[in-house]
Amino acid sequence: MDSYRLPGHALTGASTGTGEVPDVLIVGDSLFRHFRLGAGGSFPIAFRSDTRPSANIYATGFQRKRLVVDWLDTEYTDGATTKKRLDEARAHIAASVTGAMKGKSAAEVGAEIGRVTDELERRSVALRVGNVDLDVETAVCATLDLPIAGLFPFDPKALAASFAKPTSIYVVRMQHWLETYKVQRYCAPHLAYSREVASLGIPATDVLGRLTVEREYVSATNSVRVRVTAAEVNTATDGEAIVRAVAAEHATPVTVAIPAQKDTSSAVDVDEKVGHIRTALTQLTGNADKTRLIRDSNEITGGSTPKELPDYKPTEKARGRGFSQ
């Protein structure tokens, strides 16, 4: 029980407004990679763009805007009946765990339901099925590609003016992540360019420093020249050598294309896509046990990362419905 699908509904109620909510997968912490240091190992490094003062970031780190349990605590209407998505999710978890643990005692089943419910409500992120992209309020996202981080923020209606302003990129140490970009490479290649990874939060002790990044828009190629012009170290950490090395590596301008994204959320075979996303998640962690959440099975020593997932080849049925090619 490592993820579950929550079908889309029409929302209602004063706290939510009206409209449609997309189909999502709630992905639990057991499907994240958890890194621990082996002999001579180091935690993976990622990058996150943020224009807030560095003193604020060094004090708080990067935290999620809301937990999945809060995201689920909304009402939807099903015909004439108003229901709570959170109640539906809890009932789904209880039924799934009970079915998977036939023959176990009531106490064992109850304990497992409580543990899985806690993980999937609090230690989890929401992944939108349609375009295989995260609900950003439920996760802290970063990228493994510094020049990509250098694109943000920008105003798509005023490219030259917005890219004329420098931005700040924070160098962060990752002790766990969900390899979002690998799932996207498998199921939605148009989004995988960002090499995005997601976490449940990055503590201040893992924010190693800030880089000042100069940008220049090139209209002829709809691209941006990016380079690091200055580095600031978070002196409360031991990351000075890493920050200085990253700054030196990216001091020469590189050209980054502004990606053209497309949203296939309304033109997919949702049931088929859910299956492929779950396959990708299982391949990333090797955690095929659906009845127990054993974090140790996902830990990697020495900062090593697993090989890439194979390219996804959509079926004829999926291609006909607009599935990512």
Side-chain angles (χ1 to χ4, degrees):
M1 186 60 202
D2 42 31
S3 68
Y4 68 88
R5 175 184 171 188
L6 188 63
H9 297 293
L11 288 184
T12 185
S15 63
T16 61
T18 58
E20 294 294 325
V21 173
D23 287 75
V24 297
L25 275 178
I26 307 301
V27 182
D29 182 53
S30 62
L31 287 178
F32 283 57
R33 289 285 182 182
H34 293 266
F35 302 102
R36 60 182 177 186
L37 299 184
S42 60
F43 289 115
I45 299 298
F47 309 98
R48 181 177 168 92
S49 176
D50 199 301
T51 58
R52 289 177 291 171
S54 58
N56 294 1
I57 304 299
Y58 295 158
T60 65
F62 294 103
Q63 306 301 325
R64 294 184 285 173
K65 292 183 179 178
R66 59 176 172 171
L67 302 178
V68 166
V69 68
D70 300 319
W71 187 87
L72 289 172
D73 197 16
T74 56
E75 293 180 342
Y76 71 92
T77 181
D78 183 8
T81 305
T82 298
K83 301 178 180 179
K84 269 214 168 181
R85 291 160 61 85
L86 182 57
D87 293 339
E88 180 184 68
R90 286 171 172 158
H92 175 94
I93 292 171
S96 298
V97 173
T98 301
M101 295 186 68
K102 287 182 178 178
K104 300 292 184 180
S105 70
E108 290 176 303
V109 173
E112 185 69 3
I113 289 173
R115 187 163 63 88
V116 174
T117 298
D118 181 72
E119 183 194 44
L120 293 184
E121 289 182 357
R122 294 172 174 80
R123 298 193 59 79
S124 59
V125 298
L127 182 70
R128 295 170 184 264
V129 174
N131 59 355
V132 198
D133 205 2
L134 286 166
D135 182 282
V136 295
E137 290 194 343
T138 66
V140 172
C141 299
T143 175
L144 304 184
D145 192 326
L146 188 150
I148 288 291
L151 291 178
F152 302 96
F154 69 91
D155 181 353
K157 296 181 180 180
L159 295 175
S162 58
F163 284 123
K165 302 174 183 177
T167 191
S168 295
I169 293 177
Y170 288 87
V171 182
V172 296
R173 184 163 45 200
M174 305 294 291
Q175 297 195 40
H176 69 278
W177 69 31
L178 174 68
E179 292 159 302
T180 314
Y181 78 99
K182 290 188 178 180
V183 180
Q184 291 169 340
R185 185 170 293 169
Y186 188 73
C187 297
H190 63 283
L191 286 177
Y193 74 90
S194 63
R195 298 195 71 203
E196 181 183 68
V197 293
S199 73
L200 301 175
I202 301 171
T205 52
D206 285 335
V207 181
L208 305 182
R210 181 183 69 173
L211 306 174
T212 300
V213 177
E214 181 182 88
R215 293 106 53 87
E216 178 188 2
Y217 180 58
V218 183
S219 60
T221 56
N222 195 35
S223 60
V224 182
R225 276 195 283 266
V226 175
R227 71 184 182 104
V228 174
T229 58
E232 172 189 284
V233 175
N234 180 1
T235 57
T237 72
D238 58 354
E240 180 173 2
I242 293 173
V243 173
R244 301 293 183 198
V246 169
E249 181 183 353
H250 293 87
T252 301
V254 297
T255 300
V256 186
I258 298 177
Q261 297 188 22
K262 58 181 178 179
D263 186 346
T264 60
S265 58
S266 60
V268 297
D269 186 313
V270 173
D271 290 334
E272 185 173 5
K273 198 155 203 175
V274 166
H276 284 288
I277 294 172
R278 283 180 166 152
T279 296
L281 290 168
T282 299
Q283 288 190 34
L284 284 176
T285 61
N287 184 5
D289 186 340
K290 304 302 182 187
T291 63
R292 298 187 64 198
L293 303 177
I294 307 173
R295 181 176 299 174
D296 285 348
S297 68
N298 296 339
E299 289 188 349
I300 306 168
T301 59
S304 60
T305 56
K307 63 182 181 181
E308 299 290 337
L309 287 168
D311 289 338
Y312 169 62
K313 302 297 182 183
T315 63
E316 289 296 330
K317 175 183 176 184
R319 282 198 291 269
R321 296 286 303 271
F323 224 149
S324 296
Q325 302 292 319

